[in-house]
Amino acid sequence: MVMAVSFTRYGRLYYLDPGSHSPKVGDKVLVPTDSGPEVAECVWAPQWVSEDIDGLPECAGPATDEHLARDEANRRRRAEARTVAKRLIRKHELPMKVIGVDVLDADDVVKIYFTAPHRVDFRALVRDLARTLKARVELRQVGPRDEARLQGGIGPCGRDLCCATFLKDFEPVSVRMAKEQDLPVNPLRIAGACGRLMCCLKYEHPLYVKAHDRMPALGSRVDTPNGPGQVVGRNVPSDSVTVRLNSGGRCSCPSASVCSPRKQHDARYDSASEHGIGD
């Protein structure tokens, strides 16, 4: 049994083992953390999954009125810390932008996340923040991807950002992945809200690599049901190719109905037989 919760509305999802509890969507539940149980909202009710999942933290039960009151107090405290931090940053004339605040009740610590164009000497700022907030203050500088994760937003696809909902780690993404998916290498088209390459370029990349190994290459001469021609385009989602016919015009054919020249066919399968493939 698995359930999913979120600490903020439309925020990142965290998966739990419901244990003996059966919360409904919208219920407030307790999630075990390093600093003690925290209040979160149930987004997916407990359900069976086919995968064998181990090591999930177990739901600590429904949130009581005391927990809800503490959570509301922490929300007000985070809002206050954000306002104070912005005011003191302006006072110290530092090139910083506050993007997130977290409060750890157990340790009486206020964590403030910020972005800056370069390293910043914020020692004087930390002293003023600790004096004003009456708590130990930690400042953490984050990069563009973490900024998008903390702030959230809508991606080019019209959905909530992957990093702010379900992505746990940022995997490396390269321009080569966009090229192999026949996407325009235009920063405005392949960049996410963070200004870096979209994380979703990684999702379908293995499918495109496998399909391109199987489909005829661009520029190759092929035979189609409509006559011979040259491949000028490939559409992996529809598993089809666009061919410019020798007789004029173009046609779109399923890749299975397009035959490469006999020479390419023999070169591929003769090489395979020499290495004992398929024996």
Side-chain angles (χ1 to χ4, degrees):
M1 294 289 286
V2 174
M3 63 179 289
V5 300
S6 176
F7 291 98
T8 58
R9 181 61 60 91
Y10 307 119
R12 180 179 173 185
L13 299 181
Y14 294 85
Y15 299 94
L16 302 177
D17 178 353
S20 59
H21 307 287
S22 301
K24 299 178 181 179
V25 174
D27 288 351
K28 300 292 185 178
V29 298
L30 296 177
V31 179
T33 67
D34 294 337
S35 57
E38 296 289 342
V39 177
E41 181 178 351
C42 178
V43 179
W44 293 351
Q47 56 184 309
W48 289 102
V49 294
S50 58
E51 294 85 359
D52 186 13
I53 301 176
D54 294 323
L56 291 177
E58 186 173 333
C59 176
T64 64
D65 291 340
E66 179 183 354
H67 294 118
L68 294 176
R70 188 192 66 182
D71 185 60
E72 182 60 30
N74 282 340
R75 290 180 186 274
R76 291 195 297 268
R77 193 176 179 188
R78 286 196 295 270
E80 177 191 3
R82 181 185 287 266
T83 302
V84 170
K86 290 182 177 179
R87 175 170 56 83
L88 291 178
I89 286 173
R90 288 194 299 268
K91 177 183 176 182
H92 287 269
E93 298 181 349
L94 296 173
M96 301 167 58
K97 176 185 175 184
V98 177
I99 61 170
V101 178
D102 199 7
V103 176
L104 303 181
D105 261 350
D107 304 322
D108 195 23
V109 174
V110 177
K111 293 184 178 181
I112 300 176
Y113 302 91
F114 72 93
T115 58
H118 48 75
R119 291 181 62 86
V120 179
D121 183 1
F122 48 71
R123 288 173 293 182
L125 174 63
V126 170
R127 288 194 294 269
D128 285 352
L129 284 170
R131 188 182 307 111
T132 305
L133 298 175
K134 297 180 175 58
R136 187 160 63 89
V137 176
E138 294 182 5
L139 289 178
R140 294 190 177 182
Q141 185 172 355
V142 299
R145 290 188 184 275
D146 287 306
E147 178 183 3
R149 167 183 282 180
L150 290 171
Q151 288 190 323
I154 304 298
C157 60
R159 299 174 66 92
D160 294 302
L161 297 180
C162 299
C163 59
T165 51
F166 63 88
L167 277 186
K168 292 184 178 180
D169 301 307
F170 293 117
E171 297 187 19
V173 183
S174 65
V175 176
R176 180 175 59 84
M177 294 181 181
K179 292 180 178 178
E180 292 179 345
Q181 296 178 51
D182 301 323
L183 296 173
V185 187
N186 182 341
L188 298 178
R189 298 285 299 276
I190 59 177
C194 60
R196 305 296 176 86
L197 293 174
M198 293 188 295
C199 294
C200 57
L201 293 176
K202 182 81 173 180
Y203 300 165
E204 297 179 354
H205 179 247
L207 172 66
Y208 275 81
V209 172
K210 186 181 297 184
H212 286 171
D213 288 341
R214 175 176 47 82
M215 301 169 75
L218 292 175
S220 60
R221 311 296 301 185
V222 296
D223 292 326
T224 74
N226 297 326
Q230 184 179 24
V231 176
V232 294
R234 297 182 294 189
N235 190 321
V236 172
S238 65
D239 194 21
S240 63
V241 296
T242 301
V243 179
R244 184 170 59 232
L245 300 174
N246 294 346
S247 58
R250 300 189 178 195
C251 71
S252 179
C253 312
S255 60
S257 67
V258 174
C259 300
S260 299
R262 186 69 185 181
K263 185 182 296 184
Q264 295 181 16
H265 179 278
D266 292 341
R268 175 181 298 180
Y269 289 99
D270 287 348
S271 174
S273 61
E274 288 176 2
H275 291 84
I277 299 175
D279 291 346

